[in-house]
Amino acid sequence: AGVFKELLEKYDSGKIDEDEILLLKKMKLQRDWFEPPDELFMAREGTQVVVRKSNETVDTISIDGSPYYLMGKDANVVEVHCQHPTISRVHCAIFFEADDKIKLVDLNSTHGTYLNKKKLEPMVAYDLDKDSVFHLAQSNRLYYMDIPKGPSKKELRKKEEAQKRKAALEEVLAAAGPKRDEAQVRAEAEARKAAAREELLKERAAKQAAEEAREREREERLAAAKARVAEEEQAKQRILEKQEEERRTAERRKQLDEEMRRARELKEAAEQEEKERREKEEADRAREAKAAEDNDVSDVDEACEKLDVLAEQQVTKKLAGMLLMPNKEWGAVDGWVRAEHLLSELCSSGVTIEH
């Protein structure tokens, strides 16, 4: 803005007073949100904003000490601090124009600014007068303008300075008397002016000291706020690092569990394979034993069959010989009796009846 550039040029050249230095610091801090118009004016002395809630006055804000005021939730930037959660950090601005005109502008707030129940267009200045009522976002606080009547602050200052000059001149003339010449009167007037200037400089120095103290306090609050933000960021970073470490630990634990599960599966598979191998070997041995036993039984059966055939042949021969050939001992005994006697002898000798 033109005012900001002009103040910077004055600051670089060293031709800047205390009030302009304070205004320059303020504009440096706030220029990211609001740039005032090229011409700055002060409000009429005593101008204030009355804050009402539920038909009761809860606060009164004086706005006659600066060319403009910002309203919002960020106490480090704005002059009028608002705490409702729907209000933006830097919500709106009030500034002053010539002829005691007061303007209200919404600074692209999230939930809007309302003047006489109508939502304002962002970055468009609207007039405020003694009948104006505005509110911010969804806050139920209403802001009323309290503008004093009578001459403006500038007019009052001019009138006061003129009265001081007149009183000083009258005092000089009264002290000079009729015999005092014009040169003495002028000298005394200059001396009084010098004293007045010195007093004014003292007042400005005191005011500058107070402003510097307030500025230091504000900077300390800002530094403390930045320190708190840094601590919060560090705490968040530590939390994130801890969460990341926990996540990595969980992943390593999961990976270890997976490896152990795979190892168990491999072990179980190996044990199952070994079991199946052993069962197969036992089955093979059982089959081989059974096959060997079957072979032995077959050999025994075959041998028995051969023995049976030989025994049958021998018995048949012996029976035939004993039955058909005459026996000297038996004489004429019947052949049947002879056969029966022969069978008894054969049984006693180990030959079975089947033989």
Side-chain angles (χ1 to χ4, degrees):
V3 176
F4 185 73
K5 184 177 179 180
E6 182 181 351
L7 290 175
L8 286 178
E9 292 176 352
K10 284 186 176 182
Y11 182 81
D12 294 336
S13 63
K15 299 178 181 179
I16 187 171
D17 59 23
E18 294 81 359
D19 294 336
E20 291 175 337
I21 289 176
L22 294 175
L23 179 59
L24 179 60
K25 291 181 179 180
K26 172 181 173 180
M27 293 180 68
K28 280 185 177 180
L29 180 65
Q30 298 174 340
R31 65 179 308 189
D32 291 337
W33 292 275
F34 176 71
E35 290 191 0
D38 292 342
E39 292 188 61
L40 297 179
F41 298 89
M42 302 291 287
R44 180 178 297 180
E45 186 174 5
T47 302
Q48 58 187 5
V49 178
V50 179
V51 186
R52 296 178 64 84
K53 180 180 180 181
S54 301
N55 294 326
E56 294 183 1
T57 300
V58 295
D59 196 5
T60 300
I61 304 169
S62 177
I63 57 172
D64 61 352
S66 176
Y68 64 90
Y69 290 83
L70 301 186
M71 301 178 67
K73 201 161 52 177
D74 192 343
N76 296 319
V77 178
V78 302
E79 291 85 4
V80 182
H81 183 215
C82 306
Q83 298 181 349
H84 197 274
T86 61
I87 295 176
S88 300
R89 291 178 58 205
V90 182
H91 197 98
C92 66
I94 298 175
F95 64 94
F96 311 103
E97 293 184 348
D99 300 327
D100 294 331
K101 289 183 179 180
I102 306 175
K103 297 288 185 175
L104 174 66
V105 58
D106 180 85
L107 302 178
N108 287 316
S109 63
T110 303
H111 298 284
T113 303
Y114 297 83
L115 175 60
N116 298 328
K117 299 182 179 181
K118 294 182 179 180
K119 188 174 183 180
L120 304 184
E121 293 292 331
M123 306 307 294
V124 177
Y126 293 83
D127 291 328
L128 290 177
D129 54 32
K130 60 184 181 62
D131 297 323
S132 298
V133 180
F134 66 94
H135 71 277
L136 311 183
Q138 300 176 12
S139 173
N140 56 3
R141 292 194 174 201
L142 301 178
Y143 298 88
Y144 295 80
M145 299 304 301
D146 184 7
I147 304 173
K149 296 180 180 180
S152 64
K153 184 177 180 180
K154 185 175 181 180
E155 293 172 350
L156 290 174
R157 188 182 297 110
K158 287 182 178 180
K159 185 177 180 181
E160 184 179 355
E161 291 176 356
Q163 290 176 352
K164 286 182 179 180
R165 287 195 299 270
K166 183 178 179 181
L169 182 60
E170 290 177 353
E171 185 178 354
V172 170
L173 292 176
K179 295 181 179 180
R180 312 189 82 180
D181 56 7
E182 186 177 355
Q184 292 177 340
V185 172
R186 289 181 179 177
E188 292 179 359
E190 290 296 331
R192 293 181 185 278
K193 286 183 181 180
R197 282 196 298 271
E198 185 177 358
E199 185 67 24
L200 180 60
L201 289 175
K202 289 181 180 180
E203 291 179 359
R204 287 187 176 180
K207 184 177 179 181
Q208 181 179 0
E211 291 294 337
E212 289 177 353
R214 286 195 293 270
E215 184 66 21
R216 285 194 299 271
E217 183 180 357
R218 184 181 303 173
E219 291 177 355
E220 289 175 357
R221 289 199 304 269
L222 181 60
K226 290 181 178 179
R228 288 195 300 271
V229 171
E231 290 177 358
E232 292 176 357
E233 291 295 332
Q234 292 177 357
K236 290 180 181 178
Q237 185 64 27
R238 287 194 295 269
I239 292 173
L240 292 176
E241 291 176 355
K242 183 178 179 181
Q243 291 176 350
E244 180 66 18
E245 183 64 24
E246 291 176 351
R247 185 186 65 80
R248 292 177 180 175
T249 303
E251 289 181 356
R252 288 196 295 269
R253 187 180 295 112
K254 184 177 179 181
Q255 184 178 4
L256 182 59
D257 293 340
E258 182 67 19
E259 291 177 356
M260 292 180 65
R261 184 186 64 80
R262 291 179 181 176
R264 285 195 300 269
E265 290 179 353
L266 292 175
K267 182 179 178 181
E268 291 174 357
E271 291 176 352
Q272 182 67 23
E273 185 178 356
E274 181 66 18
K275 182 179 178 181
E276 291 177 355
R277 186 184 63 78
R278 291 178 180 177
E279 291 177 351
K280 184 178 179 182
E281 289 179 354
E282 291 177 358
D284 292 341
R285 285 195 296 270
R287 282 195 298 272
E288 290 176 357
K290 185 177 180 181
E293 183 180 356
D294 292 341
N295 291 334
D296 294 342
V297 171
S298 298
D299 294 341
V300 172
D301 290 343
E302 186 177 355
C304 290
E305 287 178 358
K306 290 181 179 180
L307 290 174
D308 289 342
V309 171
L310 292 175
E312 287 177 359
Q313 290 176 357
Q314 292 177 2
V315 170
T316 302
K317 289 180 180 181
K318 195 170 184 179
L319 285 175
M322 293 179 66
L323 292 175
L324 297 178
M325 293 178 66
N327 195 326
K328 295 179 178 181
E329 296 179 358
W330 293 350
V333 179
D334 186 71
W336 176 258
V337 176
R338 293 168 60 191
E340 184 179 2
H341 180 69
L342 178 61
L343 289 174
S344 297
E345 289 182 355
L346 291 173
C347 289
S348 63
S349 64
V351 178
T352 62
I353 298 298
E354 286 82 0
H355 294 156

